[in-house]
Amino acid sequence: MEAVVEVNNLKAYYRAFLYGVDREVRAVDDVSLSIGRGEIYGVAGESSSGKTTLIKTIAGAIRPPLRVVSGAVKFHFNNGTQDIYAMTAEQRSSLRWRHLSYIMQGSMNVLNPVRRIRHSFTDFAFRHMKADRATFFDRVGAHLQRLKLDAHLLDAYPHELSGGMRQRMTIALATILTPEFIIADEPTTALDVIVQRDVLSMIREIQREMGSSFLFVTHDMGVHAAVSDRIGIVYAGRLVEEAPTRKLFQMPLHPYTQHLVASLPRIGDASTRPSLEGRPPNLAMPPEGCRFHPRCPKRMDICSRETPPMVTVEPDRRVACFAVTGGKQ
Ligand SMILES: Nc1ncnc2c1ncn2[C@@H]1O[C@H](COP(=O)(O)OP(=O)(O)OP(=O)(O)O)[C@@H](O)[C@H]1O
Ligand code: SF4
Ligand SMILES: [Mg+2]
């Protein structure tokens, strides 16, 4: 599959003072992945596992106290290959909207609350489109229609829209310039299940109609099952398993993924779900070896001493676990 982005050995740490001590929070620790053209790649993992930090680092949206320690992020856009950390801030911002769009966590608030929605479109996209006002709004109208949103909503204020409608409008805004790569961080988390379904089908529609690739982040495995083509599971700043969605749900390999899949509610099954003992680690002081070992039902001696490498176990699957790949890697 032709890659639209390649992430290699990426490490990004926060600098934090904890109990008077200067520490590094290793929120993204040696992550490598690649996302194909037209693919929806899902990132899953519990709260504070580093999902948002990972995608900020991929988007080049880094601000202190976060810094990239090592690694590379390369985009293969229509206008050529771009190494996001070899570019100036100006070059990076020129990629924004046209090639790369980033729908941030809680981003329903990007719509200006005191102005009608059409002004948000003008503010964000007008100067990029190089068209006169009438043509610009023709294109905005056509885009909304394609996404099954009523063009009259442009004259509304954000507070007049329901949460789901506001989220769909935010996604319409982020995709008006038909970007090749779209990052969406928990876009459905604040919505109820019915409205979630509308937002997910809209994302599928954009992927089908515009051929865009998505990096889709949510802790909700049920949402991943509905929208992601492939899933990467993050635990404590590391990618621990990656597989096509169907395979991941049918036969999860990593003990943490097995826990996530087993915790999903099933229709007609009222039994209690197994819980995982312990808590996710503090990323300023992560455990040695496999970061999951204090909670892992399958841990072995080697797990607390050595870091399991990410191993390709099938052409389309990778996993970082000694119990799966053998302890002698
Ligand atoms: N500005 C900051 N300074 C220090 N540490 C931070 C900062 N922002 C985030 N962190 C830490 O980095 C780690 C990863 O946070 P991140 O927000 O990336 O997780 P997440 O998986 O997106 O969580 P959620 O599901 O709650 O959105 C956490 O331990 C968090 O406490
Ligand atoms: S490497 Fe060891 S501790 Fe880590 S998930 Fe595999 S078996 Fe568990
Ligand atoms: Mg987050």
Side-chain angles (χ1 to χ4, degrees):
M1 190 178 1
E2 191 193 346
V4 71
V5 58
E6 287 175 283
V7 176
N8 287 312
N9 304 103
L10 196 59
K11 292 188 182 178
Y13 299 169
Y14 293 96
R15 192 156 178 213
F17 285 95
L18 285 178
Y19 313 113
V21 183
D22 193 3
R23 287 190 183 277
E24 278 179 323
V25 178
R26 292 185 249 162
V28 175
D29 219 0
D30 207 9
V31 172
S32 297
L33 57 88
S34 151
I35 300 172
R37 203 165 281 283
E39 181 178 41
I40 301 183
Y41 186 99
V43 171
E46 64 204 314
S47 189
S48 291
S49 56
K51 303 181 297 298
T52 296
T53 312
L54 173 64
I55 62 174
K56 274 189 186 161
T57 313
I58 293 175
I62 296 284
R63 259 190 279 142
L66 183 63
R67 72 189 172 95
V68 172
V69 177
S70 60
V73 178
K74 279 194 187 139
F75 285 100
H76 304 288
F77 288 136
N78 289 338
N79 63 345
T81 293
Q82 326 268 356
D83 180 341
I84 201 116
Y85 288 108
M87 301 170 95
T88 61
E90 211 168 292
Q91 287 169 327
R92 259 204 298 274
S93 71
S94 74
L95 287 184
R96 211 53 204 276
W97 301 102
R98 234 171 220 301
H99 299 282
L100 177 131
S101 239
Y102 178 12
I103 302 163
M104 291 190 213
Q105 195 162 1
S107 67
M108 281 191 246
N109 309 324
V110 299
L111 299 171
N112 188 333
V114 294
R115 302 183 76 201
R116 293 183 199 278
I117 288 167
R118 69 169 59 247
H119 294 295
S120 292
F121 277 85
T122 328
D123 294 347
F124 279 108
F126 182 60
R127 67 198 160 89
H128 292 288
M129 215 182 258
K130 297 185 179 69
D132 58 51
R133 239 160 221 281
T135 315
F136 173 73
F137 277 108
D138 280 351
R139 289 201 200 154
V140 171
H143 183 60
L144 293 186
Q145 196 175 22
R146 176 156 68 164
L147 300 179
K148 301 187 180 68
L149 283 166
D150 191 332
H152 288 114
L153 294 173
L154 288 172
D155 293 321
Y157 287 94
H159 71 263
E160 294 176 308
L161 271 53
S162 66
M165 200 61 100
R166 210 154 53 223
Q167 184 59 289
R168 289 169 65 199
M169 200 48 103
T170 307
I171 296 172
L173 181 64
T175 53
I176 180 71
L177 297 170
T178 57
E180 293 167 68
F181 186 65
I182 300 161
I183 296 176
D185 194 356
E186 305 273 6
T188 60
T189 300
L191 308 174
D192 68 46
V193 177
I194 307 285
V195 181
Q196 263 186 13
R197 215 167 45 198
D198 291 341
V199 173
L200 296 180
S201 66
M202 179 175 180
I203 286 173
R204 273 270 168 221
E205 193 72 24
I206 292 170
Q207 185 259 339
R208 244 192 328 261
E209 289 248 331
M210 311 191 338
S212 308
S213 315
F214 275 86
L215 175 55
F216 186 93
V217 174
T218 174
H219 65 281
D220 188 332
M221 292 297 282
V223 169
H224 279 302
V227 75
S228 302
D229 296 316
R230 210 150 54 100
I231 300 177
I233 305 287
V234 172
Y235 184 81
R238 294 213 171 116
L239 197 62
V240 296
E241 180 162 10
E242 179 188 72
T245 304
R246 185 183 293 265
K247 283 192 180 182
L248 189 110
F249 280 95
Q250 275 174 353
M251 200 180 56
L253 297 178
H254 194 282
Y256 178 60
T257 318
Q258 288 171 349
H259 161 73
L260 292 180
V261 172
S263 316
L264 272 177
R266 286 186 185 82
I267 294 167
D269 179 0
S271 61
T272 47
R273 300 279 147 222
S275 67
L276 200 59
E277 53 177 270
R279 293 165 146 268
N282 176 347
L283 294 181
M285 288 176 284
E288 290 290 310
C290 173
R291 289 186 179 176
F292 189 56
H293 86 259
R295 305 171 82 187
C296 182
K298 295 188 180 160
R299 67 179 164 259
M300 304 174 283
D301 283 348
I302 187 175
C303 303
S304 56
R305 295 194 313 269
E306 289 182 32
T307 302
M310 195 67 161
V311 175
T312 302
V313 289
E314 287 172 41
D316 57 359
R317 280 197 96 148
R318 294 188 293 154
V319 63
C321 172
F322 290 125
V324 180
T325 63
K328 297 190 188 70
Q329 298 286 336

